[in-house]
Amino acid sequence: MNRTKIKAVLDSPQQNYQACVKGWVRTFRNNQFIALNDGSTINNLQLVVDFNNTPEETLKRITTGACISATGEVIASLGKGQKYELKVSSLEILGDSDAEKYPLQPKKHSLEFLREIAHLRFRTSTFSAVFRVRNTLANAVHQFFQQRGFVWVHTPIITASDAEGAGQMFRVTTLDLNNLPKNEEGAIDYTQDFFGKSTNLTVSGQLEGELAATALGDIYTFGPTFRAENSNTTRHLAEFWMIEPEMAFYDLNDNMNLAEEMLQYVIKEALENCADDIAFLSERLAEEEKQKPQQERSEMNLLEKLKFCTENHFERITYTQAIDILRESNHNKKKKFTYLIDKWGVDLQSEHERYLVEKHFKKPVILTDYPKEIKAFYMRQNEDEKTVRAMDVLFPGIGEIIGGSQREERYSKLLQRMEEMHIPAHEMSWYLDTRRFGSCPHAGFGLGFERLVLFVTGMTNIRDVIPFARTPKNCEF
RNA sequence: UCCCUGAUAGCUCAGCUGGUUAGAGCACAUGACUGUUAAUCAUGGGGUCCUUGGUUCAAGUCCAAGUCGGGGAGCCA
């Protein structure tokens, strides 16, 4: 008999038919009730075993974690708590699980403990839900861009350019680290390395994305990105996935519209396609928040928060307006900020971003037109000569989820800015060629995929939304 | 990297101003029960108290260094 997925059994209006299911035992109650999960849905199928006519040896092998195959009739459940159950007529143990050694128990485990057994945490309700949502979001990102005629471009993972200035990079080499070749000056001789030069893992596909956008029009990248920063936070990974759209003929306004539309689209897709998972995660988060003092609990639950985001426009304000709001806030006047806002030009700390998003506007906020001193060289300079056409999308609980800008398309302005910021222009002639030949206004942004998954799943540590997290001092599995 | 904080049974945790044989719930094993929902009841086994060094008659408990975890900050997506 062909195997039926548990999701299909539970979703079907049919009953009183024969079916074969396969999956992993979550718990075995009362010597007759198996809660079986096969990953197709967060919901378990209850199997009812006739223990009087089942060998003692078989019953003993039905343990938490064991993999089994069961055939029988799907009937309306006699007990409460589930619609259907499978009355088992034949049962086979496909893989035993030594109950004494299997680390997962039918009880709540801490996320910290599960992180240490990341190879098994897929088998928990929480993590299977998280990774189904992650999949749906990834798929929705592609759908969104493909529907609009964007071209998915595969930018390189190994790069030779170290001029992007976006933080520490991981070195890529085949040189023998115990016996490094030296040149006449005593420095490492990279001409003997695999690529004949010093190479690193990419920190961003943006610059290559711009090359493609100034020919294909609208493009996006979606791939792994690497930062060797010694960041120990709930929002940073050394290896993460980034989505970077880049659009010819877009200005900052178009850029903001696209960012907002995209976020709302993918959240909606998750709400529609992962309703059970998100309902479970919403409940999980509410339970977790019960431990917190009243003041720190969020006003909306996860489900409400997600719906709110899809139904309301994001607030759009300039850096200058944000500074005014912050400076005039009671929070600032009562000196509750660790870093008080006194003058224009300072970079915003996360406490300020959180205040704007979580206290003042209580919704996602897009901040634009930052002082040029605190932003990257490639952002388009405004007429005021002080600010650049940058945008940061800030989300409650997450902070910056998107960073982007309209790009500086004017060759001389770009070159001047690179000189001021000590970016070696001679190493980036390939990038400057886009401005030298048929330059055009364009814009783009970078979306941290895991931060999006964090927001939609309501998880609070980024290490829990990627299967195998890479962080400083941690590269297990 | 900086600040705060933690590490005791497979898991979650208690263990007071240092003191004799380190506890609980869950898990596991055995038995009972059999329409359960993290099933229930009884009994039982289970410990490198993170590591190293120090103080002391005596250290799970105090001190120092280290390792790893958690929260916050910086960097950013």
Side-chain angles (χ1 to χ4, degrees):
Chain A
M1 188 175 220
N2 284 336
R3 169 195 170 217
T4 309
K5 287 199 179 183
I6 286 174
K7 182 178 168 54
V9 173
L10 295 176
D11 285 353
S12 167
Q14 282 188 314
Q15 47 179 290
N16 305 321
Y17 62 96
Q18 291 289 312
C20 168
V21 293
K22 299 179 184 188
W24 294 269
V25 174
R26 283 291 174 78
T27 174
F28 184 34
R29 286 185 296 265
N30 216 0
N31 218 15
Q32 56 180 324
F33 301 106
I34 302 171
L36 193 73
N37 190 282
D38 68 359
S40 61
T41 160
I42 191 157
N43 300 305
N44 301 329
L45 179 65
Q46 170 153 296
L47 311 185
V48 186
V49 180
D50 178 5
F51 60 91
N52 287 317
N53 295 306
T54 306
E56 189 71 22
E57 264 318 291
T58 307
L59 291 173
K60 280 198 172 168
R61 291 169 67 195
I62 305 172
T63 55
T64 301
C67 182
I68 64 169
S69 166
T71 307
E73 188 178 12
V74 176
I75 57 169
S77 179
L78 303 178
K80 285 174 190 164
Q82 58 278 318
K83 195 171 169 193
Y84 301 124
E85 60 192 21
L86 187 128
K87 204 173 156 188
V88 176
S89 53
S90 80
L91 186 144
E92 189 190 347
I93 310 284
L94 299 177
D96 287 286
S97 174
D98 184 339
E100 206 172 352
K101 294 185 182 139
Y102 187 59
L104 293 174
Q105 302 159 14
K107 66 169 240 177
K108 267 209 167 67
H109 287 290
S110 67
L111 296 174
E112 291 82 8
F113 171 65
L114 293 171
R115 222 169 278 153
E116 286 169 17
I117 50 164
H119 58 303
L120 294 173
R121 66 180 182 173
F122 289 109
R123 298 192 184 187
T124 64
S125 298
T126 298
F127 284 95
S128 64
V130 165
F131 292 120
R132 276 187 298 268
V133 171
R134 183 182 167 111
N135 166 65
T136 297
L137 286 169
N139 188 40
V141 165
H142 282 298
Q143 272 179 40
F144 176 84
F145 286 119
Q146 294 296 328
Q147 283 169 9
R148 283 161 183 74
F150 281 59
V151 176
W152 181 21
V153 173
H154 299 100
T155 50
I157 288 170
I158 299 172
T159 77
S161 107
D162 56 355
E164 291 164 34
Q168 292 293 308
M169 303 173 99
F170 286 102
R171 201 174 277 289
V172 174
T173 184
T174 54
L175 292 177
D176 179 359
L177 295 181
N178 294 312
N179 186 20
L180 290 168
K182 300 285 172 65
N183 60 20
E184 284 167 5
E185 286 99 54
I188 295 165
D189 183 9
Y190 285 108
T191 62
Q192 294 188 40
D193 204 349
F194 187 89
F195 294 105
K197 57 170 83 167
S198 166
T199 50
N200 301 290
L201 292 179
T202 182
V203 293
S204 161
Q206 181 200 315
L207 301 188
E208 290 89 348
E210 286 188 49
L211 309 181
T214 51
L216 294 165
D218 299 331
I219 67 99
Y220 69 105
T221 74
F222 191 166
T225 311
F226 308 87
R227 303 262 168 101
E229 297 286 351
N230 191 9
S231 297
N232 293 287
T233 77
T234 52
R235 308 179 301 283
H236 290 86
L237 291 165
E239 176 183 290
F240 63 102
W241 289 68
M242 189 150 67
I243 296 140
E244 296 179 289
E246 196 70 35
M247 296 75 62
F249 315 115
Y250 269 48
D251 66 12
L252 190 67
N253 228 15
D254 302 323
N255 206 22
M256 285 192 279
N257 290 342
L258 185 79
E260 182 172 333
E261 263 179 64
M262 182 199 61
L263 288 170
Q264 291 184 328
Y265 178 88
V266 299
I267 293 170
K268 250 183 233 167
E269 283 293 307
L271 282 170
E272 270 176 37
N273 294 298
C274 301
D276 287 349
D277 291 321
I278 290 175
F280 174 86
L281 291 166
S282 185
E283 191 58 34
R284 193 204 71 85
L285 186 62
E287 279 296 317
E288 200 180 78
E289 291 211 333
K290 277 187 192 165
Q291 315 290 323
K292 290 192 196 166
Q294 192 95 42
Q295 222 186 346
E296 287 172 36
R297 294 181 207 169
S298 43
E299 293 168 30
M300 286 185 270
N301 70 28
L302 177 63
L303 212 55
E304 292 164 340
K305 214 164 67 182
L306 295 177
K307 280 188 183 149
F308 182 87
C309 272
T310 61
E311 287 162 7
N312 291 280
H313 278 298
F314 299 176
E315 195 69 35
R316 299 181 186 191
I317 59 167
T318 65
Y319 166 89
T320 306
Q321 289 168 318
I323 288 288
D324 287 342
I325 291 168
L326 289 167
R327 197 197 279 131
E328 294 307 314
S329 69
N330 283 331
H331 223 73
N332 197 53
K333 286 177 180 163
K334 287 183 185 163
K335 306 203 173 173
K336 283 193 186 162
F337 287 129
T338 309
Y339 295 90
L340 292 177
I341 296 288
D342 49 358
K343 60 178 190 296
W344 191 94
V346 294
D347 205 353
L348 297 179
Q349 307 289 318
S350 39
E351 58 175 344
H352 304 132
E353 296 179 348
R354 293 185 80 116
Y355 177 84
L356 287 170
V357 174
E358 290 162 26
K359 295 261 158 51
H360 189 83
F361 290 113
K362 299 186 178 183
K363 59 153 100 169
V365 174
I366 310 182
L367 282 180
T368 63
D369 300 288
Y370 282 79
K372 63 178 179 183
E373 283 77 18
I374 58 174
K375 287 290 177 186
F377 73 91
Y378 49 73
M379 297 189 177
R380 194 177 199 280
Q381 295 170 59
N382 278 317
E383 302 307 307
D384 62 13
E385 309 251 301
K386 281 170 21 192
T387 58
V388 289
R389 305 238 74 191
M391 67 173 207
D392 282 2
V393 181
L394 309 177
F395 262 36
I398 314 289
E400 186 180 344
I401 197 166
I402 281 180
S405 68
Q406 184 175 334
R407 316 306 189 190
E408 181 57 81
E409 84 281 12
R410 297 163 295 185
Y411 180 74
S412 59
K413 289 264 187 193
L414 182 60
L415 204 57
Q416 180 201 331
R417 199 74 194 115
M418 287 172 84
E419 275 163 18
E420 283 168 11
M421 297 177 81
H422 308 293
I423 310 285
H426 58 278
E427 285 178 25
M428 301 194 54
S429 60
W430 53 272
Y431 179 68
L432 286 163
D433 271 359
T434 53
R435 274 66 166 176
R436 228 179 259 132
F437 308 113
S439 189
C440 74
H442 62 289
F445 59 83
L447 166 71
F449 184 58
E450 282 75 16
R451 291 190 180 174
L452 173 66
V453 182
L454 263 187
F455 181 73
V456 177
T457 58
M459 302 297 280
T460 48
N461 192 317
I462 202 160
R463 298 166 192 207
D464 295 333
V465 298
I466 189 166
F468 302 103
R470 271 77 179 97
T471 53
K473 302 276 184 290
N474 175 15
C475 192
E476 286 300 306
F477 311 107

